[in-house]
Amino acid sequence: DIHVPIHVVRGPKNSLNNRFLPYDQIRTEAVLSLDDDVFLTHEEILFSFRVWRENRDRIVGLPGRLHSWNSESSSWFYNRELSCELSLVLTGAAFFHKYYMYVYTNDMPAVIRDKVDEYMNCEDIAFNFLVSHITRKPPVKTTSKRTFYCDQCGENTLWMEQTHISERDTCINFFCTVYGYNPLMYTQYRADSVLYHNRVSDNEVKCFARV
């Protein structure tokens, strides 16, 4: 028993933009956004929420990515490689303030939401663009978890489509055109619990055992 009501809301249409609709049922400032193929531990959720409470104007979550510049094509591309920095935290496992859902749905240029519907992709990139544009701050990545593996998911998941990455490249460049600049900001910061990787004696207990 989680002691809170569960509401299942059917969106007005099949759209990834529905993720950011400011439903009346959301009564809290904090919103935890999760993909249906994501598995998080209680510690990962609790620690990420505590980090968000100290960074309420940012996206705070686990999977980090970055945008990179291709000098040959003179364009941006979506980078999934390991790096010492990041500029995106994917909303498949992230906390953010409900306020940004209102802005995404009502104030963000409609052509961006249209592009998300056209590709059935890029809503997380669009959300990162929006928040970084408003705050001029990068997102905050928590824990060392970099990606998620779902052994129960079939081959029809959106991120496994062959065009998935190329569409995300196009989205980044299109969003830059709409905004008139690239608002994404790089960071080399990651939040881990204070005693992460520290050895403690048998009579001491860490706040978080694995994060």
Side-chain angles (χ1 to χ4, degrees):
D1 189 354
I2 61 175
H3 305 291
V4 293
I6 296 176
H7 299 276
V8 179
V9 182
R10 184 181 293 274
K13 64 177 182 178
N14 184 20
S15 170
L16 291 176
N17 291 310
N18 292 344
R19 179 190 292 272
F20 305 118
L21 288 175
Y23 294 109
D24 293 336
Q25 291 86 350
I26 302 174
R27 302 296 179 88
T28 57
E29 293 182 11
V31 175
L32 172 59
S33 175
L34 290 175
D35 283 351
D36 57 5
D37 58 352
V38 167
F39 296 88
L40 297 182
T41 66
H42 175 261
E43 282 193 343
E44 289 169 336
I45 295 174
L46 180 59
F47 176 71
S48 297
F49 173 66
R50 289 180 177 178
V51 173
W52 177 84
R53 287 193 305 185
E54 299 178 15
N55 299 273
R56 293 172 181 246
D57 58 339
R58 303 198 199 193
I59 303 172
V60 175
L62 288 87
R65 301 290 186 270
L66 73 153
H67 67 294
S68 299
W69 181 254
N70 185 330
S71 57
E72 294 184 0
S73 63
S74 296
S75 62
W76 297 104
F77 68 94
Y78 177 77
N79 195 334
R80 297 185 299 172
E81 300 300 320
L82 284 173
S83 174
C84 294
E85 58 186 1
L86 61 93
S87 59
L88 300 155
V89 163
L90 306 186
T91 53
F95 282 96
F96 48 78
H97 200 287
K98 182 182 178 182
Y99 164 75
Y100 294 124
M101 302 173 76
Y102 286 98
V103 181
Y104 183 99
T105 301
N106 300 307
D107 296 335
M108 189 180 70
V111 290
I112 294 180
R113 294 190 298 274
D114 292 342
K115 181 64 70 175
V116 170
D117 284 337
E118 176 186 349
Y119 285 162
M120 201 65 171
N121 196 346
C122 304
E123 84 290 351
D124 48 358
I125 298 176
F127 197 76
N128 275 268
F129 262 73
L130 175 67
V131 176
S132 292
H133 171 67
I134 293 173
T135 64
R136 302 309 300 131
K137 296 178 182 179
V140 177
K141 172 172 170 45
T142 58
T143 81
S144 60
K145 180 174 285 188
R146 180 176 176 271
T147 189
F148 303 99
Y149 176 71
C150 177
D151 57 3
Q152 300 175 356
C153 299
E155 298 180 356
N156 294 325
T157 53
L158 294 176
W159 60 269
M160 293 185 67
E161 294 181 0
Q162 292 183 353
T163 59
H164 180 75
I165 299 302
S166 63
E167 289 172 350
R168 292 170 82 77
D169 296 342
T170 301
C171 284
I172 290 177
N173 290 283
F174 177 75
F175 297 162
C176 287
T177 300
V178 174
Y179 279 96
Y181 77 115
N182 189 339
L184 298 178
M185 303 188 72
Y186 295 108
T187 180
Q188 296 184 355
Y189 173 81
R190 187 185 84 195
D192 295 306
S193 62
V194 174
L195 296 178
Y196 181 64
H197 274 334
N198 283 63
R199 294 182 178 180
V200 299
S201 61
D202 293 338
N203 61 345
E204 294 177 317
V205 178
K206 290 185 178 183
C207 297
F208 299 95
R210 296 179 176 84
V211 298

